[in-house]
Amino acid sequence: MSLRHWLLSLLVSAVCAGQTLPAASQSAPFDLGPEQPGRIRAEADPAAIARLPKGTRFVAPGALTVAITPGGPPLGTYATDARTVIGADPDFAQLVADSLGLRLALVPVAWADWPLGLASGKYDAVISNVGVTEQRKEKFDFSTYRQGLHGFFVRADSKIETIREPRDAAGLTISVGGGTNQERILVEWSRQNVAAGLKPIDLQLFDDEAARLVALRSGRADAVVQPHAQLVFVAARDRDIRRVGTLSAGWPLKSDVAIATRRGSGLVDALTHATNDLIANGKYRQMLARWGLEEEALPRSETNPPGLPKY
């Protein structure tokens, strides 16, 4: 979601709820300014640098060129100047570049364009909420850095306390995006509930976030489920919904988010080592906390772990 679409979503939600749109300074729970004075920085990591192959050539000398899709806060979006890319993924890219003793060069790209751009050498890496899959591993190497999670959120005054497994959702009406991975998971949850003699899940399918949130806030839905990070931002911004559970985006399998590099480029070992040192020294968690994403922290980074299978 772009900053423009986020502002439109905020306006729609406010109008539908009969609220006055808050001032910009009040509506942003995180720093969306271009200066980013609170960005976490790291020192050069000699052990990670030593893992770079001798003679490694970067797209731009002295820089780590990273592609990112500014899809929406808090992962990646445009700042209030409509030019600067900010968010948790840019912050992590900065930490990795610092660790390798390089400056960071961010390249905003459309999501559909990153695989070809990375394979053709337009940038050194992609840090943009890319999940590890077996199909992607045929062309790319991966260093994991965050859990891929969906979040269950309810109204702040809801009596629902926990949704973590199928039986917790039995009989509930849940707002979800049509044709999404979340819908696939909940359809299977509902099937399991019925097989166990429990009530099915009533799915309300919507194409956009604003409609899903209106359904929740109006009481037509008991809960909403979509990518966790998006709802963390909404909850912090509007303060009228709260999290009651998370699940892996690849349920029933694990689905981690990773730095993607060209397969065989030689960067993956250095990036995994740098990430693990950032986890160990606390910079990683500080970065996640800055954007409210501590729930998505990994205990350690892995190189090319098992990914989601081909469907």
Side-chain angles (χ1 to χ4, degrees):
M1 181 186 292
S2 66
L3 183 60
R4 181 171 65 85
H5 285 97
W6 164 65
L7 290 171
L8 179 60
S9 171
L10 176 61
L11 176 59
V12 170
S13 297
V15 170
C16 291
Q19 300 171 349
T20 301
L21 186 66
S25 61
Q26 296 173 319
S27 64
F30 305 116
D31 178 11
L32 299 181
E35 295 83 8
Q36 295 294 293
R39 175 171 284 169
I40 310 300
R41 302 296 298 268
E43 301 296 326
D45 183 344
I49 294 170
R51 283 166 170 75
L52 290 171
K54 187 176 181 179
T56 297
R57 292 188 177 182
F58 294 96
V59 172
L64 183 67
T65 302
V66 175
I68 184 170
T69 299
L75 295 182
T77 190
Y78 285 104
T80 51
D81 64 356
R83 293 192 309 271
T84 306
V85 180
I86 61 170
D89 279 344
D91 277 13
F92 180 67
Q94 183 67 70
L95 285 174
V96 170
D98 288 345
S99 297
L100 297 181
L102 302 168
R103 63 181 175 85
L104 175 63
L106 281 179
V107 181
V109 299
W111 172 259
D113 294 341
W114 74 257
L116 180 59
L118 182 58
S120 63
K122 287 186 177 180
Y123 20 85
D124 302 306
V126 176
I127 300 179
S128 193
N129 203 41
V130 177
V132 181
T133 70
E134 290 303 309
Q135 184 170 5
R136 288 171 179 165
K137 283 166 62 178
E138 294 174 0
K139 293 185 177 181
F140 308 110
D141 285 323
F142 291 98
S143 299
T144 58
Y145 70 94
R146 211 179 64 242
Q147 294 184 65
L149 295 181
H150 296 321
F152 288 101
F153 282 67
V154 299
R155 286 182 11 170
D157 60 356
S158 173
K159 295 181 179 180
I160 298 171
E161 295 298 330
T162 302
I163 304 176
R164 297 189 181 276
E165 56 184 326
R167 64 181 180 181
D168 296 333
L172 297 183
T173 299
I174 298 182
S175 173
V176 65
T180 62
N181 190 41
Q182 301 94 274
E183 181 191 3
R184 175 190 67 81
I185 293 170
L186 290 179
V187 166
E188 175 59 19
W189 276 29
S190 187
R191 187 195 67 78
Q192 290 187 16
N193 282 339
V194 171
L198 301 174
K199 293 182 179 179
I201 301 170
D202 178 17
L203 297 182
Q204 291 187 345
L205 306 183
F206 298 97
D207 291 333
D208 63 87
E209 179 182 87
R212 290 191 289 275
L213 290 173
V214 167
L216 177 66
R217 287 164 172 153
S218 67
R220 290 187 288 118
D222 299 305
V224 62
V225 61
Q226 65 184 54
H228 174 257
Q230 298 172 357
L231 291 174
V232 165
F233 185 84
V234 172
R237 181 191 70 196
D238 299 341
R239 302 181 186 277
D240 61 351
I241 65 173
R242 58 182 173 84
R243 181 178 60 219
V244 292
T246 60
L247 75 159
S248 171
W251 184 93
L253 304 174
K254 186 174 73 166
S255 178
D256 289 340
V257 172
I259 308 168
T261 52
R262 291 185 303 281
R263 190 161 184 81
S265 68
L267 297 179
V268 67
D269 288 342
L271 292 171
T272 299
H273 190 91
T275 302
N276 278 321
D277 282 352
L278 290 166
I279 291 172
N281 65 28
K283 298 288 186 179
Y284 167 78
R285 278 194 171 272
Q286 291 177 44
M287 177 276 298
L288 289 178
R290 184 168 185 256
W291 297 99
L293 297 177
E294 303 97 313
E295 188 88 4
E296 300 191 3
L298 284 175
R300 63 175 286 101
S301 175
E302 297 179 274
T303 296
N304 292 328
L308 294 182
K310 296 179 182 180
Y311 289 107

